[in-house]
Amino acid sequence: MTGSQDAARAEEDTTPTLRLQPPCERLSGCHKSGVCSRSYFWVVMVFFHVYILNVIALLFYVHYSSGQEDASRSRDAPGGGRPDAARPPSGAEFVRDVSLTRIDGIRVGHVQKVSLVAGKAHEMRTLSLKPLLFEIPGFLSDDECRVVMQLAQLKGLMESQLMVQDGQEELAKELNLSPEEIFNLLDINQDGQLQLHEILTHSRVRDGIWLTPENLREIYAGLNADKNNDGLLNLKEFRLLSSDAFQHFLLQRGVKRSQLVRNSRHTWLYQGEGAHQVLQDIKERVTRLTRLPPTIVDLSEPLQVVRYEEGGHYHAHRDSGPVYPETACTHTLLAANTSTPFETSCRYITVLFYLNSVDGGGETAFPVADNRTYDEMSLIQNDVDLLDTRRNCDKSNLRVRPTKGTAVFWYNYLSDGKGWVGEQDEYSLHGGCVVTRGTKWVANKWINVDPDYQRQARYQQLVSQLPQEESDEGPALNAETQQSSVHQEL
Ligand code: OGA
Ligand code: CA
Ligand code: FE2
């Protein structure tokens, strides 16, 4: 015990004795006012001290209890959530209390053991870091592959891309822009010339027709468009073309399936309650593989099964679009209170399953995987178009051979550094190389997450409040799945 504590103890000991002297007894028998006023003084002092001690104790109590509350709040809201953010979702904001696990690739070639089914360990190999891409052999058993292909056949597969629509010519007539305006919009690098890739990119997006540089030169020759034969179109040359000359030329010549962005057939298989056990098992295994909250996987798109015939392909693309401030996700539109022309599927992860081993071709190509830099312009250079999976798969940085039962998965978005979805990963560019022999069967499981945490949370809350049958419709709200309204039946 220290000296000051001793002194405090001594003080405590003396005060009660003084207080116990009954002042009124003394008052009745006292004649000297000095005695009375002294005892009165002591009584007042004692009460005063007790009062002060009580006030101090109260202040300490208030201070410590509010401090604890603050501490528990900041634990719930990493990244400094506002005090009102801890309140339940009747308010505007949800607490950011969920973060998404992102698997560490370590380095290319690194193999990690993963536990996906009881009593068995799978090996997961890192194929690239940009995008973060893994391969898991034997993810599906032969029986599971067979059941998925059979269920898809039973349901029926539809063309993945329709042939050039009749409405296309109408669309061209409606185009209310002058040739100068169109020229300016197409001239991305604004050098006053239309390079091959400036035209090719446009026709792929607008018409879904995949022209090669040769095709384009053929069209120029057919229309006598490139007068000085330098492979470029200047404004004068462009003006001489009528607005629908291109489309007209293509339609006359006829477009083959092999000249589309994608040549395959596909269908969707529901994986929720009541679905075939194999489909539910696959969903469960994907949840374990990705280590994401089960609700997020449950509310994602159904399983897409794709079949490529011999000669089939899918040119390089990204499975999901970029994130702008105005971007809305198809799956959370229900919870968005804005309308926007920027809508994308927000597929955070792609899990791709090979359902058969292909006799020839059909690799999945990642043209720019682990490239030191990414340069959109250098993807299409003169005669080499790295996006063309019918011709240039051999020039891709990475190719995965389809092997029955193998799964590959990758992240289409980077992390935001705070445990949620960030920017689109431009390196996630990939495509299906042309199948040179036999057929190719794959399935896609896309995990949809809204990069806007609040919107994802609001969506999940809304779906959880719906009656059971209706909440099963959650994934069906995707535009693509709306096309086939019967996907829940399988
Ligand atoms: C897809 C896809 C690749 C492949 O279906 O989106 O990219 O190898 N498929 O079939
Ligand atoms: Ca140009
Ligand atoms: Fe894809």
Side-chain angles (χ1 to χ4, degrees), residues 21 28 31 70 145 174 184 252 280 303 351 368 438 462 478:
Q21 287 175 350
S28 58
H31 305 287
D70 280 349
C145 290
E174 276 172 29
N184 253 313
Q252 264 198 337
Q280 294 196 47
L303 188 71
V351 188
V368 293
L462 271 170
N478 286 294

Side-chain angles (χ1 to χ4, degrees), residues 50 56 68 115 120 139 169 209 231 268 298 344 383 395 435 452 457:
V50 169
I56 289 170
Q68 264 162 9
S115 164
K120 193 180 170 194
F139 186 95
E169 273 180 295
I209 300 175
W268 299 90
D298 282 343
T344 190
D383 286 345
K395 296 178 191 69
V435 176
D452 180 333

Side-chain angles (χ1 to χ4, degrees), residues 383-396:
D383 286 345
V384 182
D385 177 0
L386 284 176
L387 303 175
D388 191 321
T389 57
R390 295 189 74 84
R391 305 170 139 205
N392 295 322
C393 267
D394 57 334
K395 296 178 191 69
S396 269

Side-chain angles (χ1 to χ4, degrees), residues 161 163 208-212 215 254-264 310-315 388-391 434:
Q161 190 187 336
M163 292 295 283
I209 300 175
W210 194 274
L211 296 175
T212 64
N215 289 153
V255 180
K256 291 182 233 119
R257 299 213 53 78
S258 59
Q259 290 174 303
L260 298 179
V261 170
R262 182 177 190 186
N263 178 13
S264 65
E310 200 164 287
H313 73 275
Y314 192 172
H315 288 306
D388 191 321
T389 57
R390 295 189 74 84
R391 305 170 139 205
V434 65

